């Protein structure tokens, strides 16, 4: 019998430690009850736990333990396992039973030392909040409400002198919700019991909040010893609450926006094929710097875009399938004779795509003149229908705003589009394996994969890149 009592005592102690560890690892269980986290300032081996033992000796009254409110709206639980039987002796914080709801399993712990005299439920029976669980004959007369706590760790904290921190479950829950350690709070209740007002006052010192008069009128004891000087509290600035008074507003789409909705909806029916590459524009940068002053003397602003457009037109002469259109059912393809290359333009009216007509017959300087005209009309919101229709191929200069790569969307009935990234100064190796400064631009192509294959798109991109990396090849096209 003595051996069985020793085994039962060891199992009770092990269960208590496992339950304590499980609560610290599981936030969901922490939220169920008001019990605080155990804080031990000395090694665990120095804390002496009292274990269960079978005995019928007791001298106090028989107290009826009731199932307390365990939160989350739970009104009833199922008794899953009893850890004690009638006649067993229990100590404070020994596990009595485990109950389970549809939300969690919770361990019920004893608050008093005594002997179990009656179990009110069988295993798998339903217990209601507020109903009695067990009767315990205590060792001596006790003060206070005998209603049981629902805890997963011993309802006690240890400070450096191993004294109990006294507080009600509601006060412990308030401290836990505000991340306050009860060992740091000075209790003003009977026998040092921590009251709700003590928690509020401690929180106010941390945040600098103004307390109501009822709380302020309670004096706060100051405990100080020669060995332990009073802790100096550093107030924490409270974040002001900003009130946002803005309101939502609804506006109808304008004509250009409605047109984009229609065009983009049709574009989503096209199977897009993507292809990306980078271009070394170092020689083009030098050529433009030479021609820029010459163009300005004629009243024309020369950007890089005329070169990009002209190089695309020269490439389309070799790959006409990219300058084509297909009907709605993709049964017929039309190869366009004229290279009407569009330029996606950010205007006050939104994203518009005017196009330069018959680029194959224009020089770089002619293209610059036409681009100046279209940009002026776009800024003034005066682009006409003739400028916005009839495109056969499109370039989008997204790099003028920012970004290196994009995934451009084809404008039906066209079959290809390119997005140009920003020009970056990056290190590259020359033919002698020397690191040199290079002007690099990334390009992203999209093509209708029903009529354009990857090899065609790659060869076109290579040819377009070669014209830009060796711009002297385009000089013959200058007038």
């Amino acid at each position: 019998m003595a051996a069985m009592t020793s085994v039962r005592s060891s199992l009770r102690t092990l269960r208590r430690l496992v339950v304590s560890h499980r609560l610290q690892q599981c936030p969901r269980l922490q939220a169920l009850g008001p019990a605080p986290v155990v804080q031990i300032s000395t090694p665990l081996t120095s804390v002496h736990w009292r274990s269960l033992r079978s005995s019928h000796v007791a001298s106090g009254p028989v107290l009826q333990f009731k199932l307390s409110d365990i939160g989350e709206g739970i009104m009833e639980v199922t008794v899953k396992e009893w850890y004690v039987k009638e006649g067993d002796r229990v100590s404070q914080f020994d596990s009595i039973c485990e109950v389970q709801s549809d939300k969690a399993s919770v361990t019920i712990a004893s608050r008093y030392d005594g002997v179990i005299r009656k179990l009110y439920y069988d295993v798998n029976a339903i217990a209601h909040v507020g109903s009695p669980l067990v009767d315990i004959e205590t060792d001596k007369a006790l003060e206070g409400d005998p209603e049981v706590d629902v805890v997963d760790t011993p309802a006690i904290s240890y400070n450096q002198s191993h004294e109990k921190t006294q507080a009600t479950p509601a006060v412990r829950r308030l401290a836990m919700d505000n991340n306050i350690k009860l060992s740091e709070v000075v209790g003003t209740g009977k026998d040092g019991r921590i009251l709700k007002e003590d928690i509020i006052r401690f929180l106010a010192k941390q945040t600098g909040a103004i307390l109501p008069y009822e709380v302020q009128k309670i004096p706060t004891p100051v405990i100080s010893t020669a060995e332990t000087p009073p802790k100096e509290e550093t107030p924490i600035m409270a974040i002001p609450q900003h009130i946002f008074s803005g309101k939502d507003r609804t506006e109808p789409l304008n004509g250009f926006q409605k047109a984009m909705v229609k065009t983009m909806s049709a574009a989503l029916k096209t199977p897009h094929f993507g292809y990306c590459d980078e271009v070394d524009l170092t020689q083009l940068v030098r050529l433009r710097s030479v021609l820029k002053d010459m163009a300005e003397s004629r009243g024309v602003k020369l950007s890089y875009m005329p070169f990009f457009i002209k190089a695309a037109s020269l490439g389309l002469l070799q790959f006409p399938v990219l300058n084509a259109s297909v009907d709605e059912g993709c049964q017929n393809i039309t190869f366009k004779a004229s290279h009407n290359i569009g330029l996606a333009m950010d205007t006050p009216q939104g994203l518009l795509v005017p196009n330069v007509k018959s680029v194959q017959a224009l020089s770089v300087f002619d293209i610059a003149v036409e681009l100046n005209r279209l940009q002026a009309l776009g800024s003034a919101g005066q682009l006409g229908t003739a400028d916005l229709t009839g495109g056969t191929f499109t370039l989008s200069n997204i790099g003028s705003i920012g970004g290196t790569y994009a995934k451009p969307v084809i404008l039906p009935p066209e079959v290809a589009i390119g997005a140009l990234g920003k020009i970056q100064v990056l290190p590259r190796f020359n033919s002698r394996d020397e690191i040199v400064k290079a002007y690099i631009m990334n390009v992203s192509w999209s093509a209708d994969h029903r009529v354009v294959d990857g090899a065609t798109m790659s060869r076109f991109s290579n040819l377009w890149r070669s014209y830009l990396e060796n711009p002297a090849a385009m000089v013959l096209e200058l007038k």
Side-chain angles (χ1 to χ4, degrees), residues 30-47:
Q30 289 177 351
L32 286 177
V37 178
V38 176
Q39 298 173 348
I40 303 176
S41 60
T42 58
L44 185 60
T45 55
S46 67
V47 180

Side-chain angles (χ1 to χ4, degrees), residues 21-320:
H21 175 72
R22 182 178 64 182
L23 180 63
Q24 297 180 20
Q25 299 296 323
C26 182
R28 186 179 183 186
L29 290 180
Q30 289 177 351
L32 286 177
V37 178
V38 176
Q39 298 173 348
I40 303 176
S41 60
T42 58
L44 185 60
T45 55
S46 67
V47 180
H48 301 286
W49 298 92
R50 289 169 291 179
S51 59
L52 296 176
R53 56 190 181 277
S54 296
S55 174
H56 296 276
V57 178
S59 59
V62 176
L63 299 180
Q64 188 178 76
F65 274 42
K66 298 179 180 180
L67 177 61
S68 301
D69 182 8
I70 59 180
E72 297 194 12
I74 298 174
M75 298 304 298
E76 62 180 26
V77 296
T78 302
V79 178
K80 301 303 295 183
E81 182 180 2
W82 284 105
Y83 301 138
V84 297
K85 65 181 184 295
E86 293 181 1
D88 280 351
R89 168 168 289 278
V90 294
S91 300
Q92 291 187 49
F93 315 119
D94 281 337
S95 299
I96 295 178
C97 66
E98 182 176 351
V99 298
Q100 185 178 47
S101 71
D102 58 346
K103 297 182 178 179
S105 294
V106 182
T107 299
I108 306 298
S110 173
R111 181 186 293 172
Y112 306 112
D113 297 338
V115 177
I116 300 294
R117 292 306 184 193
K118 181 178 180 180
L119 305 181
Y120 279 85
Y121 296 97
D122 295 329
V123 173
N124 295 326
I126 302 298
H128 296 273
V129 171
S131 63
L133 287 175
V134 297
D135 288 348
I136 298 183
E137 183 178 355
T138 61
D139 291 344
K140 60 181 179 178
L142 300 173
E143 298 179 356
D145 185 2
E147 185 175 3
V148 72
D149 280 331
V150 179
V151 296
D152 273 331
T153 57
I156 183 172
S157 297
Y158 287 83
N159 55 25
Q160 292 184 356
S161 61
H162 297 279
E163 297 178 351
K164 297 181 180 179
T165 301
Q166 301 184 52
T168 64
V171 171
R172 294 181 183 278
R173 181 58 179 268
L174 179 62
M176 183 176 66
D177 290 344
N178 291 277
N179 296 320
I180 296 176
K181 296 181 180 179
L182 289 178
S183 60
E184 298 180 358
V185 181
V186 177
T188 59
K190 182 180 179 180
D191 297 327
R193 180 180 295 273
I194 298 176
L195 307 177
K196 179 180 179 181
E197 291 80 4
D198 299 326
I199 298 295
I200 296 176
R201 184 182 301 105
F202 183 85
L203 183 63
K205 289 182 178 180
Q206 303 298 318
T207 62
I210 299 177
L211 300 181
Y213 171 76
E214 305 87 81
V215 177
Q216 289 184 0
K217 67 183 181 182
I218 301 177
T220 304
V222 178
I223 300 178
S224 177
T225 63
E227 295 80 8
T228 306
K231 182 178 179 181
E232 187 174 326
E233 303 290 349
T234 302
I236 301 176
M237 295 295 295
I239 300 177
Q241 296 293 325
H242 298 283
I243 299 177
F244 179 68
S245 59
K247 296 182 179 180
D248 297 344
R249 58 190 178 93
T250 303
E251 297 180 353
L253 296 178
N254 59 37
F256 288 102
Q257 291 171 328
K258 290 181 178 179
M260 178 176 287
V261 169
K262 182 178 179 180
T263 301
M264 293 297 100
S265 298
L268 289 178
K269 300 178 182 179
T270 302
H272 283 53
F273 165 75
Y275 181 84
C276 300
D277 201 358
E278 74 171 32
V279 186
D280 187 344
L281 300 180
T282 304
Q283 294 191 43
L284 178 60
V285 170
R286 296 169 184 166
L287 177 61
R288 175 181 172 268
S289 65
V290 174
L291 299 177
K292 182 179 179 181
D293 293 338
M294 183 187 304
E296 288 181 353
S297 66
R298 302 182 184 181
V300 177
K301 181 180 179 180
L302 182 63
S303 65
Y304 293 105
M305 200 64 199
F307 296 94
F308 300 150
I309 292 176
K310 186 60 183 180
S313 178
L314 295 173
L316 293 176
L317 291 174
Q318 301 297 320
F319 300 95

